[in-house]
Amino acid sequence: MNEKEQVAAAILKAMPDLDKSTVMDRLERPKDDKNGDYALPTFFLAKQLHQAPQKIAADLGSKIDQGSFDKVVVAGPYLNFFLKKGKVGAGVLETILNDPEHYGDATLGNGAHVTIDLSSPNIAKPMGMGHLRSTVIGNAIANILAKVGYEPIRINHLGDWGTQFGKLMAAYEMWGDEAAVKADPINTLQKYYVRINTEADTHPEYNDAGREWFKKLESGDKEATRLWKWFRRESLKRFMKIYKMLGVDFDSYNGEAFYNDKMDEILHLLEDKGLLKESRGADIVDLSAYNLNPALIRKSDGATLYITRDLAAALFRKRMYGFKQSLYVVGAEQTNHFAQLKAVLSEMGFTWSKQIHHIPFGLMSLNGKKMSTRKGNIVQLEDVLNDSIKLARQQIAEKNPDLANADEVAKQVGVGAVIFHDLKNERTNAIDFKLEDVVKFEGETGPYVQYARARAESILRKAGKPSFAGEDLTLDDAEAWPVIKQLGQFGETIQRAAENYDPSLIGKYALALAKLFNQYYAHVRILDDHPQKTARLALVQAVSDVLKSSLLLLGVKAPDEM
RNA sequence: GGGGCGGUAGCUCAGCUGGAUAGAGCAUUCGCCUUCUAAGCGAACGGUCGUGGGUUCGAAUCCCACCCGCCUCACCA
């Protein structure tokens, strides 16, 4: 029985005609600590009892068994419950220290597979800041789901197919310089890509050339395939460097090209069901029953489209992984696409279309405009990470010049700042990119959380890395209580984050815990002699453990010193 | 025009399953390092919660209308 249920039980004992679920629903956690740890507003009883809420609260307060609480206070129409701090606190600390890595675990998932489509950059282009979002949000969701008992499968659905590559090949055919590409593959290819897109405005035949090249690629033309393989290989090399910096691993790199030979089955299935209709020379699936515009499955030139490949991918993933849920961490601008995808799968008779969830996130813009590789209006992720690492290294040189592994810590802090900045706010918020915000290390940032933990670790080192087994961890100073309460809410925070696919809840949790700990640190001399010094150190250890867990869930490293 | 998301302090945001004086960070001003890392702590300043109605004992939160911004609506992904 958790604390809230204990409060509810005490209320029910004093007022037996209430039902438990009502009381659990009405019980709230006051924002202000002075109003207790739990509070029951009594307004909802006023009508049925024909009494003023103030009177109801007073009556209830006099009937309640106060023995199991520190105190129960009637505050006007509210009944405020104060828990026994020492006892509850010791319980929380024992639970954490007993098995820090698994504190907050849950078994909601029962080992069910969840595929997560994340990152999915386009090859032959530099990875921009826009791709950071899908990568770090998807990775954090995967971590969170694993924590509550699912088995996440991270899939990097590389954008390695489509008319865009036809265009790139057409550009390479016209202007390509093999030596230049070899020297700096990504940037050189991007130049060609930008050029052909720019010049296509005045040379519409370039678009046709692009379509032709893609057609050749789809039908297995030797030269087209050679170029494609080369572009893909070089791109992946570069991407891996970034993923290593970010600390993200994937279970699969099957991108769009992987489904090239799996498209026929989809087309046949659609035909067999009589879903495919001809319209303006192309093949579509009518989705007016879903209040959606038609899904274009096959272009008038016979080539397939994004959604055709996504249909094949969805079916493949279901067969391969037997997913219970299939998540797509893709920008909110593709909401319509995923609605269509689900609708077509549903039309095809796949009841598991309901297990598919688009996890949208807000657009990252630059100077208020949509980032676009074609227009060169893009910030490279790698540059931002390097800038941030450099700044972190400078900070270390200033603040902690003797730090042993300074370069490694600078990476953890610099990259941590970038990741945390992306995750701390609600997913769907749009972000206008500002470097100075991303690489900020003060206030509500990743480094703030890392720093709070590094100071905690520093204290523990100075205390000689104490062990707490069998110790009395009763801690009743008023300063410790807010920290302990926050520690106790880790599990429910994780579950909410999992249910809502919302990493920002973990970010906010970690910030709040770090802040509360910093306040504690500023007011209590932990290493001074004190009857509860051991319990205080246990609190420090628990904070460090939980901050570390929180950061790791977000994909942020937690250095012991910085 | 249809659909989606958003509008809270100068800026960036939290709060939105209705509850007790609307919170935080940044910025500005001012305190705190002979004491566990000042990437920190504290204080001050700062708000018609887009507008107008409605529901309710109670609305930033729920409902309706309107205004503004962004995204999206068949041969890109």
Side-chain angles (χ1 to χ4, degrees), chain A residues 194-260:
Chain A
V194 171
R195 181 170 170 193
I196 194 167
N197 276 294
T198 313
E199 296 189 11
D201 291 342
T202 48
H203 296 269
E205 70 273 17
Y206 288 180
N207 288 326
D208 297 333
R211 274 192 283 271
E212 259 169 54
W213 267 100
F214 179 56
K215 242 344 230 166
K216 279 160 79 176
L217 181 63
E218 247 191 343
S219 54
D221 175 83
K222 215 173 141 198
E223 175 62 5
T225 306
R226 183 187 75 83
L227 287 174
W228 176 79
K229 277 190 176 160
W230 180 30
F231 296 164
R232 189 180 193 275
R233 194 172 56 238
E234 292 300 335
S235 303
L236 218 47
K237 249 192 242 166
R238 193 64 176 272
F239 293 162
M240 292 314 289
K241 199 175 148 196
I242 296 172
Y243 291 137
K244 201 177 161 205
M245 287 170 101
L246 291 172
V248 179
D249 289 310
F250 298 91
D251 299 292
S252 164
Y253 291 87
N254 289 338
E256 293 187 62
F258 177 78
Y259 300 99
N260 191 33

Side-chain angles (χ1 to χ4, degrees), chain A residues 83-98:
Chain A
L83 300 175
K84 288 190 168 167
K85 297 178 175 57
K87 192 166 158 259
V88 173
V92 170
L93 294 182
E94 272 161 30
T95 309
I96 296 170
L97 298 177
N98 191 37

Side-chain angles (χ1 to χ4, degrees), chain A residues 157-170:
Chain A
H157 190 69
L158 292 170
D160 56 4
W161 210 245
T163 314
Q164 51 177 334
F165 295 102
K167 268 191 181 172
L168 183 61
M169 287 171 196

